[in-house]
Amino acid sequence: MPVITVEAMPMTTDAKRELVATLTHDASRIMQVPETSIYVFIRENPFDDIGVAGKLLSDIKKENASKK
Amino acid sequence: MPVITVEAMPMTTDAKRELVATLTHDASRIMQVPETSIYVFIRENPFDDIGVAGKLLSDIKKENASKK
Amino acid sequence: MPVITVEAMPMTTDAKRELVATLTHDASRIMQVPETSIYVFIRENPFDDIGVAGKLLSDIKKENASKK
Amino acid sequence: MPVITVEAMPMTTDAKRELVATLTHDASRIMQVPETSIYVFIRENPFDDIGVAGKLLSDIKKENASKK
Amino acid sequence: MPVITVEAMPMTTDAKRELVATLTHDASRIMQVPETSIYVFIRENPFDDIGVAGKLLSDIKKENASKK
Amino acid sequence: MPVITVEAMPMTTDAKRELVATLTHDASRIMQVPETSIYVFIRENPFDDIGVAGKLLSDIKKENASKK
């Protein structure tokens, strides 16, 4: 049963593969449930759809890029 | 209120239409609230973003396809 | 997979039992996945924690009760 | 912490920008936590993936358009 | 339709009342939808159920209290 | 950002502590983001509020107990 949802930024498929395998293994061991019962959902949120400290993450990234 | 969220795989619009109508009807009857108060959100998760038993669903599908 | 979440108000266990059985049965049929793969989460939200049209549902209920 | 999620319809980036700034400001003031600790996720749900009163929002929009 | 969910810490009912009214008002204005269509769910997470930077918020609060 | 939500069954505080530390550590490493930016929410769902294969988990547990 446990269901793990990860609200994330865009990620590579390899990173998703490793994240699913690792978080499932961790949760199975700690929560003492079989891996086969665990679902993981990865939410790739576009930078425009994420707000941090009142700003869009896309705007924060543009600001940081312009400071370099 | 209530709000029903369905974490799903890719689906046809016809299936979505039937799912929304049926789940709304069920919930309205069982929870004794008007259908007009019920929202349904269907989350079409790409196979790369779903983990089952520690693997990406996209990888599981590739493995199954190669066994055929 | 799929996972169905129902944001609800306080409900009896019988209503939960029927809701889980019915939503699972219908989702399985429409989405063509086995019932054994479907998880349902019922979220019993206290009336104080639900807002409708800008008001707490607990306040709306008090207002309606005082009108009777 | 806190984390605010907005299940929405398609929106312009300007509207997202204002929504993130405003909701973060409100929550920070009311919940007495720093803006820097608040995350906001905006979920742009396609009209096909939203059900209202048992119908897809895309169908409701088509019906309304044909009545004009 | 929009549905706003606030993952929060324990809050007073007055704070919930203000949060629901304010978030609904602002979302209605910015997203140009009627307040009557907006649902808000406030999730009062116990401090034991919130992790920040790898620690339970309950542990962080104990640490801070012991430093005073 | 990221935010990890774990839909779980009742758990001990020690298990929650270990789950938060481990998931945060692994997500930080794999997603290459600082641990300080990661929030984890653990949702302790009562057995009555979880449906598996169309049945309440509380009923499944009673059935299993009666078979012993």
Side-chain angles (χ1 to χ4, degrees), chain F residues 23-41:
Chain F
L23 298 187
T24 300
H25 176 76
D26 287 329
S28 168
R29 177 178 59 78
I30 296 166
M31 301 173 78
Q32 299 179 325
V33 295
E35 295 204 8
T36 51
S37 71
I38 298 174
Y39 293 155
V40 177
F41 294 99

Side-chain angles (χ1 to χ4, degrees), chain B residues 59-68:
Chain B
D59 291 340
I60 293 171
K61 285 183 170 295
K62 276 177 217 151
E63 283 167 29
N64 292 346
S66 67
K67 283 175 197 162
K68 283 175 188 163

Side-chain angles (χ1 to χ4, degrees), chain F residues 44-64:
Chain F
E44 271 197 298
N45 295 277
F47 294 123
D48 264 0
D49 294 355
I50 304 169
V52 177
K55 291 186 176 180
L56 295 186
L57 201 48
S58 48
D59 291 340
I60 293 171
K61 284 182 171 297
K62 277 177 216 149
E63 282 169 29
N64 291 345

